Amino acid sequence: MSGTRTVDDRERPDPAGPAADPEARRAELARGLAEVERRIAEACAAAGRSRDEVTLIAVTKTYPASDVRTLVELGVTHIGENRDQEASAKAAACADLPITWHFIGQLQTNKARSVARYAAMVHSVDRPRLVRALGAAAVRAGREVDCLVQVALEREPDPARGGVPPAGVAEIADAIAATEGLRLAGVMAVAPLGEDPAPAFARLAEVAQAVRKDHPEARVISAGMSGDLHQAIANGATHVRVGTALLGRRKPFVR
Ligand SMILES: *Cc1c(COP(=O)(O)O)cnc(C)c1O
């Protein structure tokens, strides 16, 4: 593992690991889903919002396609992945299922062509070059790809975590909206490490509102993960991206 801090550094391997027996694994995933649904419902109620306003994206990175299949059987329809190699293989393995695929990780321009073939929404758009690459790829694939501007909420943005600072969001949003093959759908952020997520998500809500002034159709706010979905929903999140709380702790991430 490099010295760079990533989202995954907050995690420790689960000594027990996922159940090997398919029936036991199914029961684990069902329990995880019920608990996450309970937390989402509770957060919506606390915020005076309807449960329908929040889409749950199950983040299945590092877990096998069999888990994706089970989650879909349990009623999940939105699946998130953060690496193209893994995501494209799972999308192919699950091509028979009614899944909306979300690409949530940092994206290199040379992977845009692959991602545009399966992703309905790319959450991590943070630079003009990537906008151009994704637009060309979407046109080539004959698809319309929803794009979110990833906002860096850190006081001192860390390039390794991706995202554009709030002052740069309008430029990327305008570029997406002007690009054939792409639709500007909204904004996305990951809460800064070591900071109270609530004020950070409040800043994201302000950024989202500013984007909607110029682009009323850009209504998505993708925020909130296993540890902070409550604060995200309190601050207007329309999409929460949940991995650990659904599927269990991941093995440490090695790039
Ligand atoms: C892994 C990941 C998630 C899910 O995180 P959990 O804490 O496991 O719920 C959400 N968003 C992004 C961008 C991720 O990389």
Side-chain angles (χ1 to χ4, degrees), residues 7-8 11 59 61 82 104-105 188 190 224-227 241-245 250:
V7 167
D8 299 79
E11 291 146 23
V59 177
K61 64 190 183 196
N82 73 336
I104 64 171
M188 174 271 207
V190 177
M225 318 195 325
S226 293
R241 310 176 307 266
V242 181
T244 308
R250 293 178 291 275

Side-chain angles (χ1 to χ4, degrees), residues 34-123:
E35 173 61 10
V36 167
E37 276 296 339
R38 188 194 63 71
R39 288 176 59 201
I40 292 174
E42 184 180 86
C44 286
R49 301 179 62 195
S50 158
R51 170 65 187 85
D52 304 344
E53 291 175 37
V54 178
T55 300
L56 169 63
I57 302 171
V59 177
T60 51
K61 64 190 183 196
T62 77
Y63 286 101
S66 56
D67 280 352
V68 175
R69 198 163 280 278
T70 303
L71 285 167
V72 171
E73 284 166 12
L74 293 169
V76 172
T77 54
H78 292 263
I79 301 288
E81 285 282 338
N82 73 336
R83 291 199 302 157
D84 172 59
Q85 207 182 3
E86 190 180 339
S88 57
K90 280 181 213 171
C94 298
D96 58 315
L97 300 175
I99 294 173
T100 301
W101 290 95
H102 295 258
F103 191 86
I104 64 171
Q106 281 187 266
L107 181 53
Q108 293 168 279
T109 49
N110 64 357
K111 299 287 167 62
R113 252 175 90 177
S114 173
V115 168
R117 283 200 279 261
Y118 57 85
M121 189 178 278
V122 176
H123 292 228

